[in-house]
Amino acid sequence: MPSATSSAPTVGFDLDMTLIDSRPGIRACYQALAERTGTYIDADQAVTRLGPPLAEELIRWFPAEAVPAMADLYREMYPAIAIGPTPALPGAREAIAAVRTAGGRALVVTAKHEPNAKLHLEHLGIEPDAVVGDLWAEQKAQALREHGAGVYVGDHFGDIRGARAADALAVAVATGPYGMDELAAAGADVVLTDLTQFPDWLASYRSDRA
């Protein structure tokens, strides 16, 4: 099993549905995109599929050749529409603080467009040591390895794959599209109900390896 350095862990966190409940903001942004373009988008369905890159959702609603332009338009509209309605998930701030209290570094590695990811965190007063965006699934290993992360926390099967690719401990939270049993079956090393359980888990994890 992968292991983090117990004395000063570096922990990566996913963003959407791990640290933040981005569904209200993303739903509003898809609704605005539909109105702007005159294209039907089922925003309620779209927000059940958060995790993969934006293009994977847009291809359901737009011709392939239009997807890059629609992605640019969506990202341009996003700050004014999606940041305000998006809350932090329970335990998000405390999870980041727990890593800092342990003398470690907390980073956010997400498939979300990096400038918009930073806007969410700034708006909510969540201050990781680094934010890396535009990486999905195994691509996340690039940033996790670069920053020396021994633990990666996420809600999606893609996050588990990213942790595995980085030889990091895969910690899953059941705040996204999958339940605890599904996350365990997908290969998570640890499954938590949500981030409120993370500080105690981290303390226990470090104690076991002291």
Side-chain angles (χ1 to χ4, degrees):
M1 178 182 293
S3 63
T5 302
S6 61
S7 57
T10 297
V11 180
F13 293 88
D14 177 48
L15 183 64
D16 288 353
M17 304 312 301
T18 298
L19 289 171
I20 66 174
D21 183 353
S22 50
R23 292 172 297 183
I26 290 176
R27 181 187 291 109
C29 201
Y30 277 129
Q31 289 171 337
L33 183 64
E35 182 177 352
R36 177 86 170 262
T37 63
T39 300
Y40 174 75
I41 299 173
D42 188 335
D44 290 326
Q45 279 297 310
V47 297
T48 69
R49 295 187 285 261
L50 301 183
L54 174 61
E56 292 192 18
E57 184 62 37
L58 293 178
I59 195 67
R60 296 173 181 267
W61 313 108
F62 295 96
E65 63 272 15
V67 166
M70 292 302 101
D72 288 344
L73 178 58
Y74 174 95
R75 289 168 177 150
E76 177 185 326
M77 299 167 67
Y78 193 96
I81 296 170
I83 303 300
T86 298
L89 281 165
R93 295 179 179 87
E94 293 82 358
I96 299 292
V99 176
R100 294 267 178 73
T101 298
R105 299 178 71 250
L107 62 144
V108 172
V109 184
T110 174
K112 188 178 290 297
H113 185 49
E114 187 172 307
N116 289 338
K118 290 178 176 178
L119 286 175
H120 275 299
L121 295 165
E122 290 167 7
H123 176 75
L124 294 169
I126 299 173
E127 299 180 353
D129 295 284
V131 180
V132 183
D134 304 292
L135 297 176
W136 162 241
E138 287 83 359
Q139 295 173 345
K140 294 186 175 190
Q142 302 169 19
L144 297 174
R145 288 185 182 278
E146 179 181 345
H147 289 273
V151 175
Y152 185 59
V153 185
D155 67 284
H156 199 281
F157 293 167
D159 299 323
I160 297 171
R161 287 157 48 197
R164 290 293 187 196
D167 293 324
L169 194 79
V171 177
V173 287
T175 45
Y178 306 113
M180 297 180 73
D181 291 344
E182 292 173 292
L183 293 165
D189 297 301
V190 177
V191 182
L192 307 176
T193 302
D194 57 31
L195 285 178
T196 64
Q197 296 181 327
F198 179 83
D200 286 345
W201 172 81
L202 182 63
S204 176
Y205 180 76
R206 293 182 66 236
S207 176
D208 289 345
R209 285 153 180 80

